[in-house]
């Protein structure tokens, strides 16, 4: 297992701007929010994070959860084990491990719903292939599981016309 210093060094070698912000936010609720934004921006801009950078950031998130459980509802070991045992998560992890990594990282935070919303919507100007039906269903079910376990982060849509922002 990498320790915190090693993870910071890995991130610094790739993106020093990110490591400075992570260090300044360490030990605060904003740490998880910032990581969620990093992943969301990568999806929105269609510029994915390098796999080694994503893995190092995910490792830091795990360290932060262990050290500061009060800032993250998903830090209990049994909750993480529950996610790993979830058949929907297993199906996603089997076919799309990079998506499973982000689900694991954002589980129990507002960033989870935002990430899944980005997956469900075409952000690639019509070039996104979509998911196989079984994986799409697993994503929907895991979103329901998350909303049930963490209702404070569930999106409640009362007016379908407000979802897109502007009305026709």
């Amino acid at each position: 297992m990498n320790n915190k210093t090693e993870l910071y060094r890995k991130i610094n070698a790739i993106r020093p701007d990110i490591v400075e912000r992570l260090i300044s936010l360490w030990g605060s609720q904003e740490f998880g929010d910032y990581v969620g934004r990093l992943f969301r921006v990568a999806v929105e801009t269609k510029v994915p994070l390098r796999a080694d950078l994503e893995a190092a950031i995910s490792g830091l998130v795990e360290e932060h959860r262990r050290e500061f459980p009060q800032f993250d509802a998903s830090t209990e070991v049994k909750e993480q084990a529950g996610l790993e045992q979830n058949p929907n998560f297993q199906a996603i992890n089997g076919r799309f491990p990079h998506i499973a990594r982000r689900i694991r990282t954002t589980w129990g935070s507002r960033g989870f719903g935002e990430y899944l919303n980005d997956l469900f919507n075409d952000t690639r100007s019509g070039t996104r292939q979509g998911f196989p039906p079984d994986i799409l269903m697993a994503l929907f079910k895991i979103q329901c599981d998350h909303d049930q376990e963490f209702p404070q982060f569930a999106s409640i849509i009362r007016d379908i016309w407000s979802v897109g922002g502007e009305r026709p």
Side-chain angles (χ1 to χ4, degrees), residues 141-156:
K141 287 179 179 178
I142 205 159
Q143 183 176 34
C144 290
D145 293 344
H146 186 270
D147 289 352
Q148 190 172 26
E149 191 169 344
F150 305 101
Q152 69 271 31
F153 300 124
S155 296
I156 299 172

Side-chain angles (χ1 to χ4, degrees), residues 12-32:
N12 190 53
I14 302 165
R15 294 283 305 271
D17 57 314
I18 290 176
V19 81
E20 288 177 20
R21 187 74 174 134
L22 290 171
I23 290 170
S24 71
L25 295 174
W26 188 261
S28 71
Q29 177 67 43
E30 290 80 21
F31 181 89

Side-chain angles (χ1 to χ4, degrees), residues 10-60:
K10 287 179 182 181
I11 297 167
N12 190 53
I14 302 165
R15 294 283 305 271
D17 57 314
I18 290 176
V19 81
E20 288 177 20
R21 187 74 174 134
L22 290 171
I23 290 170
S24 71
L25 295 174
W26 188 261
S28 71
Q29 177 67 43
E30 290 80 21
F31 181 89
D33 296 339
Y34 176 69
V35 170
R37 280 193 305 275
L38 281 175
F39 289 138
R40 191 171 53 259
V41 167
V43 170
E44 290 171 357
T45 61
K46 302 173 209 149
V47 180
L49 298 173
R50 286 176 37 176
D52 53 345
L53 176 62
E54 185 176 323
I57 292 171
S58 295
L60 264 184

